[in-house]
Each structure stands twice: as C-alpha cells, then as structure tokens.
Amino acid sequence: MEDYLKTANSGTVWALCAITVVIAFIQALLYMRMAKKTAAKIQLPGEIPNKAFRIGLISAIGPAMGVFIVMVGLMAAIGGPMAWLRLSIIGAAPTELTAATYGAQASGVDLGGAGYTLTAMAVSWFAMALNGAGWLVMTGLFTPGLEKLRNKMSGGDTRWLAVLSGACSLGIFGYLNVNEIYKGWGNALALISGALSMVVLVKFVVPKFPKLMEYTLGLAMIIGMFFAVLYDLAVA
C-alpha cells in the first residue's frame, strides 16, 4: 500500500495534475473578466455584478465543505494529486468516490483496502476519468444547440421562457432531493431543515435585515448540515 501511495503522491503526479487545475483556474478568471466586460458594455450598475459575486461565493461554502471532506478521504486511497485534480474540475464528490470505488471493485479489491495495489489504483483513476469524460463529451457536442432549442420551445416569449427555465430548475433539484431522501433519515432531515430554514429566513429575517438575502442559501445549507450531524450523533 505504501508503494502505490508513494507513486500517487510523487512530485511528477503533482506537476501533471497541477496543469489541469491551473487551466481550470485560468478559465474561472477569464469568465469573471468576460462578465465584467459584458456588464460594462450593457451599462449594468456596478453593485449588481458585485452582489451576484458575493452571493455565489457564500452559496459555494456549503457544497465546498462536503467536497473537501470527501477529498480528504480520497487522498488516503488514491493520493493527494488525483483527488485534488478530480474534485477541482468536476466537484461532484459522491460521483468521484463512487467511480473510484467501482474501479477498485473491478480489480477485485476494496478502495484503499488490502490488495489495493498500484494497478488497482490505476483502474480507479481510469474509471474516474472515463466517468468525467462522458459529461465533457455531452456538453461539448450538445450545449451549442441547447440555446436554439430553448428559444424554439419558448416561441420567443420571454415570460414563457422564464417559466420554462424555472420549471426545469425545480424538476432537477426536486429529483436530486428525492434521491437524497431515499438514502436515510439523516439526509432527509438535512433537506427538510434546510428548506424550512430557507423559508423562515426569506419570510421573516430578510425583511428586517435585507442585506442577509444574498447569504440565505449558504445559511440554509449550513443549518441543514448541522441538523444532519446532530441526527447522526444521536443515533450513533
């Protein structure tokens, strides 16, 4: 086990993984610069994009905490560089952990367990890369045509387009939430407490403290995680 981790955490692997992470970081900076240029071009008031940036930053704290926890676990099994790489460009912690586990099982061993050799780790790496490649291929091929499809479905009516986009978002997040509920009472409690706290914050707290509006999503996530941890501690 120590032999494969020595290879997984070698300077060469760190350097190779850093290339992709740096590219992703540069892309984020370019998107931010393009957004600022577009805002200036359409004469959007400066406080609006700044507020949107703060909202996105605060809202990302909850998901980032979950990703960080999974990354620590992955580092012990597949090495720090690959865990850092995969969760930096994909960010879907449960998916990456599942792909690594399936790779190990395909080799006839458990992830990070006895018999998990350099070959088994390579299979886990390949499974993670193959899993992410599907997303990249689909978005690369079909994303350019989605805007045309959306406009065609809306018939050029901006109000109907807003309703359509909202309905799609509700369907997506509803589907994801239902899957979480099936995983157990801890997940269900996190969902329910997070949703109720969001309602309380928006209906009762924000009217008194309007500046909290941009932080409500992040606060609701943290509250949901708090209650889920309390449940896990209570039943442990």
Side-chain angles (χ1 to χ4, degrees):
M1 185 173 184
E2 294 180 356
D3 292 337
Y4 91 81
L5 282 178
K6 185 180 296 185
T7 301
N9 293 311
S10 63
T12 302
V13 179
W14 275 109
L16 292 173
C17 291
I19 295 174
T20 303
V21 175
V22 169
I23 291 174
F25 180 71
I26 293 175
Q27 285 180 323
L29 294 178
L30 291 175
Y31 286 138
M32 291 172 60
R33 188 180 69 171
M34 183 172 60
K36 289 184 177 180
K37 287 185 176 181
T38 303
K41 185 177 180 180
I42 64 175
Q43 299 180 348
L44 189 69
E47 62 271 13
I48 295 179
N50 291 335
K51 182 179 180 180
F53 180 81
R54 289 198 304 272
I55 293 174
L57 180 64
I58 297 300
S59 300
I61 293 177
M65 290 176 62
V67 172
F68 177 77
I69 293 172
V70 175
M71 183 176 69
V72 173
L74 276 177
M75 288 173 64
I78 64 172
M82 185 56 65
W84 175 52
L85 166 65
R86 296 303 308 173
L87 295 179
S88 293
I89 62 174
I90 300 297
T95 302
E96 294 301 307
L97 181 60
T98 301
T101 302
Y102 283 164
Q105 292 176 352
S107 300
V109 296
D110 293 327
L111 180 64
Y116 192 73
T117 61
L118 183 62
T119 301
M121 184 188 69
V123 177
S124 291
W125 286 11
F126 180 77
M128 296 167 76
L130 187 62
N131 175 65
W135 298 357
L136 294 175
V137 171
M138 291 296 293
T139 54
L141 291 177
F142 297 106
T143 297
L146 288 178
E147 185 66 21
K148 296 180 180 179
L149 177 62
R150 190 179 68 162
N151 290 331
K152 186 176 181 179
M153 291 179 63
S154 65
D157 188 341
T158 55
R159 291 175 297 179
W160 167 242
L161 184 59
V163 173
L164 178 63
S165 300
C168 290
S169 297
L170 288 174
I172 292 170
F173 286 106
Y175 174 78
L176 293 174
N177 287 331
V178 168
N179 286 337
E180 290 300 316
I181 291 175
Y182 286 147
K183 293 180 181 179
W185 283 107
N187 296 59
L189 184 60
L191 170 63
I192 296 171
S193 58
L196 291 177
S197 62
M198 188 69 173
V199 173
V200 172
L201 288 170
V202 173
K203 293 293 185 181
F204 302 104
V205 179
V206 170
K208 297 180 180 179
F209 306 96
K211 291 185 178 180
L212 284 178
M213 184 62 192
E214 58 193 79
Y215 305 109
T216 51
L217 180 57
L219 291 173
M221 289 180 177
I222 294 174
I223 292 172
M225 289 188 290
F226 174 75
F227 279 98
V229 170
L230 284 182
Y231 174 82
D232 290 339
L233 292 175
V235 299

